[in-house]
Amino acid sequence: MRKKALFTLAMFAAFGTQALHAQCSICTKTASQLGDGPASALNSAILYMAFAPFAIMGYIGWRWWKNEKRFNNPPDNEGLH
């Protein structure tokens, strides 16, 4: 059930959003001078470059969580005595 809810949330986040505007005020002013096509490409490039650090930090956090979970809950080795 938890995986299904997470999958549904991920699909909503990926496809249920409107066009994202990831531009600071300086980039917005520059993009408005370029026109619609280049402004859209600039916005996509900003979102693309912002994704990499979040993906890297998410992976590091996930690995850290998995290692802490394994370290704090060692397997039960009673049958090996």
Side-chain angles (χ1 to χ4, degrees), residues 24-61:
C24 65
S25 60
I26 296 170
C27 295
T28 302
K29 186 174 181 178
T30 302
S32 68
Q33 295 172 353
L34 295 174
D36 288 338
S40 176
L42 178 63
N43 192 35
S44 297
I46 291 170
L47 290 173
Y48 178 74
M49 289 188 301
F51 175 75
F54 284 114
I56 292 168
M57 291 304 295
Y59 178 73
I60 291 170

